Amino acid sequence: MRSRIEARFADLKREGRAGFVPYIMAGDPDAGTALAILKGLPGVGADLIELGFPFSDPMAEGPPIQRAAQRALKAGMTLSGVLELARRFREGDRATPLILMGYMNLILHRGIAAFARDVAEAGVDGVIVVDCPPEEAGELADALDGADVSLIRLATPTSDDARLQVVARRTSGFVYYVSVAGVTGVKEADATAVAPMVERVRRASDLPVAVGFGIKTPERAAAIARVADAVVVGSALVDEVADAAEMNEDVTGRVLLKAESLAKAVRSARIGQTTV
Amino acid sequence: MNAPTSRPAGRPNDYTAYPDAEGRFGDYGGRFVPETLMPLVHELDAAYRAAKADPAFQAELAGYLKHYVGRPSPLYFAERLSAHLGRARVYFKREELNHTGAHKINNCMGQILLAMRMGKTRIIAETGAGQHGVATATVCARFGLPCVIYMGEVDVERQKPNVFRMNLLGAEVRPVASGSATLKDAMNEALRDWVTNVHDTYYLIGSAAGPHPYPEMVRDFQCVIGREARAQILEAEGRLPDALVACVGGGSNAIGLFHPFLNDEGVRLFGVEAAGEGLDARHAAAINGGRPGVLHGNKTYLLQDAEGQITEAHSISAGLDYPGIGPEHSWLHDVGRATYLTATDAETLEAFQLCAELEGIIPALESAHALARLPEICREVGPDGIVVLNLSGRGDKDVATVAQALGRRI
């Protein structure tokens, strides 16, 4: 059976455009609001969704996502709570792929086999584990394979061709290219530097390439959308949550508005272009 | 000498054969870092292996350890403390007499030589008590490399003299406000710096923890403690000791003392974790009060809550205020080769004062945790038993903390 991720990227290819992938932190600023945002995202142009599960020590995140995780934990979010959000989202949306993104300790804590079973049951399509490189991923990859959930791997500016082979070996769904050497949401991604790397990733893998880290504005998102199969935006959306909550504004409305402007930029980026 | 049938299940024939090629000590260790760092971790592993096998590198390191650090450190018979405790003979391995006042410089000297050999031009490090930060700043000054030290805001406050020492040595100290603002958060921030500055930066980790090859490399550089102690006790007593004891935070001073004795099964090994206000309250005892998990690049025992979130550690000693422990200790605990005890803040303060009064040595609060368990360990080894304790650091940095804890104004 074709996975939701495969189906979605096939649609995008047919439409000749890149996909827009918003990242939000589960439970930020609270479970109810996060669910409302999640449910609203496909309507404003999200093609896939990344849902962060909060960890106390997120070593690859910059300040925006660190703070988002702290807010979510303070509001009582747990991994079980994240799976419940996924389940509720899936009840109303059978088509949009949902990718969980987080850190290894919570997975080990739940047990790798139980984690794989539970995410599949909740309707999750893929998992990104930031601190689990291929060298440490054998057991997790086996368990997720068995549950028909993709383990999505990261390629980075430090990956040489030999390393890309290692990364690609057991990746499924898509490859996530981390566009800057650094933490999330700090350095800005440069489309002219990203383009040749995306080509190198494509030579190592037949899978679509999504690009993330350091993409904050519609202009930047559009530039990346011209060279990649999908564009991930996280910190800029998470910052909207923080700002809106601080100003006592409608968090869901602000985040969806921001997502919509980014989605429009990504969706229209290739109009007038003949080739990618 | 090896008789496998006499060993309990799970115990290896040769403890020194670990970690394996994947950086595993049994189930512990590994390389749980973001993909961006993986090529760097592999590069470091290859560079370290080449340096380890290079006699020129080893000779250069030995030269600096002798002439700059002041090694070998003495093995000193603590006569009055021994008499006070009973009939066992307690020796101190005097790491506090090293340049900068603790064992930390052994590792820093090894890693800075490696960093230069690798062509790295910028050094970063994390520090808790400030001892590793001072040692790193010291070697960076000595070799003329720029240096950034990450230190939790809470630790900056309670270790002000060390912050100033690092500044005097030319290091930039960056206070870390995230999380609990202590050692674990400093380590998160150092990892974030490393992932951002991959091309020129060398991360000089201070404990036998982090992704492979750090636990092995830091251990190897600290093993000079145990190698010297082994030769010194044989010369002083004509036999191996009955027990070794050292405090354990990340555990680099302990593994440095223990490792050259691991295959001497007659030598009992005691690590002492910080029990803080007690194991049922706030503490820093990863093995005695934690469960296996993954943090800072390795799988090991960690303090965590019912959901797997890392919890804040507490100890009166900033150097032990860390929710994890080096992976080799986790393994030695599981296979039963080493025993991990605990000492509370209160017990530590008593031992701190006793050592000062009876031996004229003001120990670091970290080392005072090991001193606090001496009564039980001396009883265990019996009359005429021999105990070697790693006096891993001096306590000058701690006098303000101790005065405050004792309700005294200075």
Coordinates of all heavy atoms in Angstrom, one line a residue, chain B residues 314-383:
Chain B
H314 N 20.8 18.1 42.2 CA 21.2 19.0 43.2 C 22.4 18.4 44.0 O 22.3 17.2 44.5 CB 20.1 19.3 44.2 CG 20.7 20.0 45.5 ND1 21.0 21.3 45.5 CD2 21.1 19.5 46.6 CE1 21.6 21.6 46.7 NE2 21.6 20.5 47.4
S315 N 23.4 19.2 44.2 CA 24.5 18.8 45.1 C 25.1 20.1 45.6 O 25.1 21.1 44.9 CB 25.6 18.0 44.4 OG 26.7 17.9 45.3
I316 N 25.6 20.1 46.9 CA 26.3 21.2 47.4 C 27.6 21.5 46.6 O 28.1 22.6 46.5 CB 26.7 21.0 48.9 CG1 27.2 22.3 49.5 CG2 27.7 19.9 49.1 CD1 27.3 22.3 51.0
S317 N 28.0 20.4 45.9 CA 29.2 20.6 45.1 C 28.9 20.7 43.6 O 28.2 19.9 43.0 CB 30.1 19.3 45.3 OG 30.5 18.8 44.1
A318 N 29.2 21.9 43.1 CA 28.8 22.2 41.7 C 29.4 21.2 40.7 O 28.8 20.9 39.7 CB 29.3 23.6 41.3
G319 N 30.5 20.6 41.0 CA 31.2 19.7 40.1 C 30.4 18.3 40.0 O 30.7 17.6 39.1
L320 N 29.6 18.0 41.0 CA 28.8 16.8 40.9 C 27.4 17.0 40.5 O 26.6 16.1 40.5 CB 28.9 16.1 42.3 CG 30.3 15.7 42.8 CD1 30.2 15.0 44.1 CD2 31.1 14.9 41.8
D321 N 27.0 18.3 40.3 CA 25.6 18.7 40.1 C 25.2 18.4 38.6 O 25.1 19.3 37.8 CB 25.5 20.2 40.4 CG 24.1 20.5 40.7 OD1 23.2 19.8 40.4 OD2 23.9 21.6 41.3
Y322 N 25.1 17.1 38.3 CA 24.9 16.7 36.9 C 23.9 15.5 37.0 O 24.2 14.6 37.8 CB 26.2 16.3 36.3 CG 26.1 15.9 34.8 CD1 25.7 16.8 33.8 CD2 26.3 14.5 34.5 CE1 25.6 16.3 32.5 CE2 26.2 14.1 33.1 CZ 25.8 15.0 32.2 OH 25.7 14.6 30.9
P323 N 22.9 15.4 36.1 CA 21.9 14.3 36.2 C 22.4 13.0 35.6 O 21.7 12.0 35.7 CB 20.7 14.9 35.5 CG 21.3 15.8 34.5 CD 22.5 16.4 35.1
G324 N 23.6 12.9 35.0 CA 24.1 11.7 34.4 C 25.3 11.2 35.0 O 25.8 11.8 36.1
I325 N 26.0 10.2 34.4 CA 27.2 9.7 34.8 C 27.9 9.1 33.6 O 27.2 8.7 32.7 CB 27.0 8.6 36.0 CG1 28.3 8.1 36.5 CG2 26.1 7.5 35.4 CD1 28.1 7.2 37.8
G326 N 29.2 9.0 33.6 CA 29.9 8.4 32.4 C 29.4 7.0 32.2 O 29.1 6.2 33.1
P327 N 29.3 6.6 30.9 CA 28.7 5.3 30.5 C 29.5 4.1 31.1 O 28.9 3.1 31.3 CB 28.7 5.3 29.0 CG 29.7 6.3 28.6 CD 29.7 7.4 29.7
E328 N 30.8 4.3 31.2 CA 31.6 3.1 31.7 C 31.2 2.8 33.1 O 31.2 1.6 33.5 CB 33.1 3.4 31.6 CG 34.0 2.2 31.8 CD 35.4 2.3 31.3 OE1 35.8 3.5 30.9 OE2 36.1 1.3 31.3
H329 N 30.9 3.8 33.9 CA 30.4 3.6 35.3 C 29.1 2.8 35.3 O 28.9 1.9 36.1 CB 30.3 4.9 36.1 CG 31.6 5.5 36.4 ND1 32.5 5.0 37.3 CD2 32.2 6.7 36.0 CE1 33.6 5.7 37.4 NE2 33.4 6.8 36.6
S330 N 28.2 3.2 34.4 CA 26.9 2.5 34.3 C 27.1 1.0 34.1 O 26.5 0.2 34.7 CB 26.1 3.1 33.2 OG 25.7 4.4 33.5
W331 N 28.1 0.8 33.2 CA 28.4 -0.6 32.9 C 29.0 -1.4 34.0 O 28.7 -2.5 34.4 CB 29.3 -0.6 31.6 CG 29.8 -2.0 31.2 CD1 29.1 -3.0 30.8 CD2 31.2 -2.3 31.2 NE1 30.0 -4.1 30.5 CE2 31.3 -3.6 30.7 CE3 32.4 -1.7 31.5 CZ2 32.5 -4.3 30.5 CZ3 33.6 -2.3 31.3 CH2 33.6 -3.6 30.9
L332 N 30.0 -0.7 34.7 CA 30.7 -1.3 35.8 C 29.7 -1.6 37.0 O 29.9 -2.6 37.7 CB 31.9 -0.4 36.3 CG 33.0 -0.3 35.3 CD1 34.1 0.7 35.9 CD2 33.7 -1.7 35.1
H333 N 28.7 -0.7 37.1 CA 27.7 -1.0 38.1 C 26.9 -2.2 37.7 O 26.6 -3.1 38.5 CB 26.8 0.3 38.2 CG 25.5 0.0 38.9 ND1 25.4 -0.2 40.3 CD2 24.2 -0.1 38.4 CE1 24.2 -0.4 40.6 NE2 23.4 -0.4 39.5
D334 N 26.4 -2.3 36.4 CA 25.5 -3.4 36.0 C 26.2 -4.7 36.1 O 25.6 -5.7 36.5 CB 25.0 -3.1 34.6 CG 23.8 -2.2 34.5 OD1 23.5 -1.6 35.5 OD2 23.2 -2.2 33.4
V335 N 27.5 -4.8 35.8 CA 28.2 -6.1 35.8 C 28.7 -6.3 37.2 O 29.3 -7.4 37.5 CB 29.3 -6.2 34.8 CG1 28.8 -6.0 33.4 CG2 30.5 -5.2 35.0
G336 N 28.6 -5.4 38.1 CA 29.0 -5.6 39.5 C 30.5 -5.5 39.8 O 30.9 -5.8 40.9
R337 N 31.2 -4.9 38.9 CA 32.7 -4.7 39.2 C 32.9 -3.6 40.1 O 33.9 -3.6 40.9 CB 33.4 -4.5 37.8 CG 34.9 -4.2 38.0 CD 35.7 -5.5 38.6 NE 37.1 -5.2 38.9 CZ 37.5 -4.8 40.1 NH1 36.7 -4.7 41.1 NH2 38.8 -4.6 40.3
A338 N 32.1 -2.5 40.1 CA 32.3 -1.4 41.0 C 31.0 -1.2 41.8 O 29.9 -1.6 41.3 CB 32.6 -0.1 40.2
T339 N 31.1 -0.6 43.0 CA 30.0 -0.4 43.9 C 29.8 1.1 44.0 O 30.8 1.9 44.2 CB 30.3 -1.0 45.2 OG1 30.6 -2.4 45.1 CG2 29.1 -0.8 46.2
Y340 N 28.6 1.6 43.8 CA 28.3 3.0 43.9 C 27.5 3.4 45.1 O 26.4 2.9 45.3 CB 27.6 3.5 42.6 CG 28.6 3.3 41.4 CD1 28.8 2.1 40.7 CD2 29.5 4.3 41.1 CE1 29.7 1.9 39.7 CE2 30.5 4.2 40.1 CZ 30.6 3.0 39.4 OH 31.5 2.8 38.5
L341 N 28.2 4.1 46.0 CA 27.6 4.5 47.3 C 27.2 6.0 47.1 O 27.4 6.6 46.0 CB 28.6 4.4 48.4 CG 29.4 3.1 48.5 CD1 30.5 3.1 49.5 CD2 28.4 2.0 48.9
T342 N 26.6 6.6 48.2 CA 26.2 8.0 48.1 C 26.7 8.7 49.4 O 26.9 8.1 50.4 CB 24.7 8.2 48.0 OG1 24.1 7.6 49.1 CG2 24.2 7.5 46.7
A343 N 26.8 10.0 49.3 CA 27.1 10.8 50.5 C 26.2 12.1 50.3 O 26.1 12.7 49.3 CB 28.5 11.2 50.6
T344 N 25.5 12.5 51.4 CA 24.7 13.7 51.4 C 25.5 14.9 51.6 O 26.7 14.9 51.9 CB 23.7 13.6 52.6 OG1 24.4 13.7 53.8 CG2 22.8 12.4 52.5
D345 N 24.9 16.1 51.3 CA 25.6 17.3 51.5 C 26.1 17.4 53.0 O 27.2 17.9 53.2 CB 24.6 18.5 51.3 CG 24.2 18.7 49.9 OD1 24.8 18.0 49.0 OD2 23.3 19.5 49.6
A346 N 25.3 17.0 53.9 CA 25.7 17.2 55.4 C 26.8 16.3 55.7 O 27.8 16.7 56.4 CB 24.4 16.8 56.2
E347 N 26.8 15.0 55.2 CA 27.9 14.1 55.5 C 29.2 14.6 54.8 O 30.3 14.5 55.4 CB 27.6 12.7 54.9 CG 26.5 12.0 55.6 CD 26.0 10.7 54.9 OE1 26.0 10.7 53.6 OE2 25.7 9.8 55.6
T348 N 29.0 15.2 53.6 CA 30.2 15.8 52.9 C 30.8 16.9 53.7 O 32.1 17.0 53.8 CB 29.7 16.2 51.5 OG1 29.2 15.1 50.8 CG2 30.9 16.9 50.7
L349 N 30.0 17.8 54.2 CA 30.5 18.9 55.0 C 31.3 18.5 56.2 O 32.4 19.0 56.5 CB 29.3 19.8 55.5 CG 28.8 20.8 54.4 CD1 27.5 21.4 54.9 CD2 29.8 21.9 54.1
E350 N 30.8 17.4 56.9 CA 31.6 16.9 58.0 C 32.9 16.3 57.6 O 33.9 16.6 58.3 CB 30.7 15.8 58.7 CG 29.9 16.2 59.8 CD 29.1 15.1 60.4 OE1 29.8 14.0 60.7 OE2 27.9 15.2 60.7
A351 N 32.9 15.6 56.5 CA 34.1 15.0 56.0 C 35.1 16.1 55.6 O 36.4 15.9 55.8 CB 33.8 14.0 54.9
F352 N 34.6 17.1 55.0 CA 35.4 18.2 54.5 C 36.2 18.8 55.7 O 37.4 19.0 55.6 CB 34.5 19.3 53.9 CG 35.1 20.6 53.4 CD1 35.4 20.7 52.1 CD2 35.3 21.6 54.3 CE1 36.0 21.9 51.6 CE2 35.8 22.8 53.8 CZ 36.2 23.0 52.5
Q353 N 35.5 19.1 56.8 CA 36.1 19.7 58.0 C 37.1 18.7 58.6 O 38.2 19.1 59.1 CB 35.0 20.1 59.0 CG 34.1 21.2 58.4 CD 32.9 21.5 59.3 OE1 33.0 22.2 60.3 NE2 31.8 20.8 59.0
L354 N 36.7 17.4 58.7 CA 37.6 16.4 59.4 C 38.9 16.4 58.6 O 40.0 16.3 59.3 CB 36.9 15.1 59.3 CG 37.5 14.0 60.1 CD1 37.4 14.3 61.6 CD2 36.9 12.6 59.8
C355 N 38.9 16.3 57.3 CA 40.1 16.2 56.5 C 41.0 17.5 56.8 O 42.2 17.3 56.9 CB 39.8 16.1 55.0 SG 41.2 15.9 54.0
A356 N 40.3 18.6 56.8 CA 41.1 19.9 57.0 C 41.8 19.8 58.4 O 43.0 20.1 58.5 CB 40.2 21.1 56.9
E357 N 41.0 19.4 59.4 CA 41.5 19.4 60.8 C 42.6 18.3 61.0 O 43.6 18.6 61.7 CB 40.4 19.2 61.8 CG 39.5 20.5 61.9 CD 38.1 20.2 62.5 OE1 37.9 19.1 63.0 OE2 37.3 21.1 62.3
L358 N 42.4 17.1 60.5 CA 43.3 16.0 60.8 C 44.5 16.0 59.9 O 45.6 15.5 60.3 CB 42.6 14.7 60.7 CG 41.6 14.4 61.8 CD1 41.0 13.0 61.7 CD2 42.2 14.5 63.2
E359 N 44.4 16.4 58.6 CA 45.4 16.2 57.7 C 46.0 17.5 57.1 O 47.0 17.5 56.4 CB 45.0 15.4 56.5 CG 44.7 13.9 56.9 CD 45.9 13.1 57.3 OE1 47.0 13.6 57.1 OE2 45.7 12.0 57.9
G360 N 45.4 18.7 57.5 CA 45.9 19.9 57.0 C 45.7 20.1 55.5 O 46.4 20.7 54.8
I361 N 44.7 19.4 55.0 CA 44.3 19.4 53.5 C 42.9 19.8 53.4 O 42.0 19.1 53.9 CB 44.6 18.1 52.9 CG1 46.1 17.7 52.9 CG2 44.1 18.1 51.4 CD1 46.3 16.2 52.5
I362 N 42.6 21.0 52.7 CA 41.3 21.4 52.5 C 40.9 20.8 51.1 O 41.3 21.2 50.1 CB 41.1 22.9 52.5 CG1 41.5 23.5 53.8 CG2 39.7 23.3 52.1 CD1 41.4 25.0 53.9
P363 N 40.0 19.7 51.2 CA 39.6 19.0 50.0 C 38.5 19.8 49.2 O 37.8 20.5 49.8 CB 39.1 17.7 50.5 CG 38.4 18.1 51.8 CD 39.2 19.2 52.4
A364 N 38.4 19.5 47.9 CA 37.3 20.0 47.2 C 36.0 19.4 47.7 O 36.1 18.2 48.2 CB 37.4 19.7 45.7
L365 N 34.9 20.0 47.6 CA 33.6 19.4 48.1 C 33.3 18.1 47.3 O 32.8 17.2 47.9 CB 32.5 20.4 48.0 CG 32.3 21.4 49.1 CD1 31.3 22.5 48.7 CD2 31.9 20.7 50.4
E366 N 33.8 18.1 46.1 CA 33.6 16.9 45.3 C 34.3 15.7 46.0 O 33.7 14.7 46.3 CB 34.1 17.1 43.8 CG 33.3 18.1 43.0 CD 33.5 19.5 43.3 OE1 34.5 19.8 44.0 OE2 32.8 20.4 42.8
S367 N 35.6 15.9 46.2 CA 36.4 14.9 46.8 C 35.9 14.5 48.2 O 36.1 13.4 48.7 CB 37.9 15.3 46.9 OG 38.2 16.0 45.7
A368 N 35.3 15.5 48.9 CA 34.9 15.2 50.3 C 33.7 14.2 50.3 O 33.5 13.6 51.3 CB 34.4 16.6 50.9
H369 N 33.0 14.1 49.1 CA 32.0 13.0 49.1 C 32.7 11.6 49.2 O 32.1 10.7 49.9 CB 31.3 13.0 47.7 CG 30.2 14.1 47.7 ND1 30.5 15.4 47.5 CD2 28.9 14.0 47.8 CE1 29.4 16.2 47.5 NE2 28.4 15.3 47.7
A370 N 33.8 11.4 48.6 CA 34.6 10.2 48.8 C 35.0 10.0 50.2 O 34.9 8.9 50.8 CB 35.7 10.1 47.8
L371 N 35.6 11.1 50.8 CA 36.0 11.0 52.2 C 34.9 10.6 53.1 O 35.1 9.9 54.1 CB 36.5 12.4 52.6 CG 37.9 12.9 52.0 CD1 38.1 14.4 52.1 CD2 39.0 12.1 52.6
A372 N 33.7 11.1 52.8 CA 32.5 10.8 53.7 C 32.2 9.3 53.8 O 31.6 8.9 54.8 CB 31.3 11.6 53.2
R373 N 32.6 8.5 52.8 CA 32.2 7.1 52.9 C 33.4 6.2 53.4 O 33.3 5.0 53.5 CB 31.8 6.5 51.5 CG 30.4 7.0 51.1 CD 29.3 6.2 51.8 NE 29.0 6.5 53.2 CZ 28.3 7.5 53.6 NH1 27.8 8.4 52.8 NH2 28.2 7.7 54.9
L374 N 34.5 6.9 53.8 CA 35.7 6.2 54.3 C 35.4 5.3 55.5 O 35.9 4.2 55.6 CB 36.8 7.1 54.6 CG 37.7 7.5 53.5 CD1 38.8 8.5 53.9 CD2 38.4 6.2 52.9
P375 N 34.6 5.7 56.5 CA 34.4 4.9 57.7 C 33.8 3.5 57.3 O 34.4 2.5 57.8 CB 33.3 5.7 58.5 CG 33.6 7.1 58.1 CD 33.9 7.1 56.7
E376 N 32.8 3.4 56.4 CA 32.3 2.2 56.0 C 33.3 1.3 55.2 O 33.4 0.1 55.4 CB 31.0 2.4 55.2 CG 29.8 3.0 55.9 CD 29.9 4.5 55.9 OE1 30.9 5.1 55.6 OE2 28.8 5.1 56.2
I377 N 34.0 2.0 54.3 CA 34.9 1.3 53.4 C 36.1 0.8 54.3 O 36.5 -0.4 54.1 CB 35.4 2.2 52.3 CG1 34.2 2.5 51.4 CG2 36.5 1.6 51.5 CD1 34.5 3.7 50.4
C378 N 36.5 1.5 55.3 CA 37.6 1.1 56.1 C 37.2 -0.2 57.0 O 37.9 -1.1 57.1 CB 38.1 2.2 57.1 SG 39.1 3.4 56.2
R379 N 35.9 -0.1 57.4 CA 35.4 -1.3 58.1 C 35.3 -2.5 57.2 O 35.7 -3.6 57.6 CB 34.0 -1.0 58.6 CG 33.9 -0.5 60.1 CD 32.6 -0.7 60.7 NE 31.5 0.0 60.0 CZ 31.2 1.3 60.1 NH1 32.0 2.0 60.9 NH2 30.2 1.8 59.4
E380 N 34.9 -2.2 56.0 CA 34.8 -3.3 55.0 C 36.1 -4.0 54.7 O 36.2 -5.2 54.6 CB 34.3 -2.7 53.7 CG 33.8 -3.7 52.7 CD 32.3 -4.0 52.8 OE1 31.6 -3.4 53.6 OE2 31.9 -4.8 52.0
V381 N 37.2 -3.2 54.6 CA 38.5 -3.8 54.2 C 39.2 -4.4 55.5 O 40.1 -5.2 55.4 CB 39.5 -2.9 53.5 CG1 38.9 -2.4 52.2 CG2 39.9 -1.7 54.4
G382 N 38.7 -4.0 56.7 CA 39.2 -4.6 57.9 C 40.5 -4.1 58.4 O 41.2 -3.2 57.7
P383 N 41.0 -4.6 59.5 CA 42.3 -4.1 60.1 C 43.4 -4.4 59.1 O 43.4 -5.5 58.4 CB 42.5 -4.9 61.3 CG 41.1 -5.5 61.6 CD 40.4 -5.6 60.3

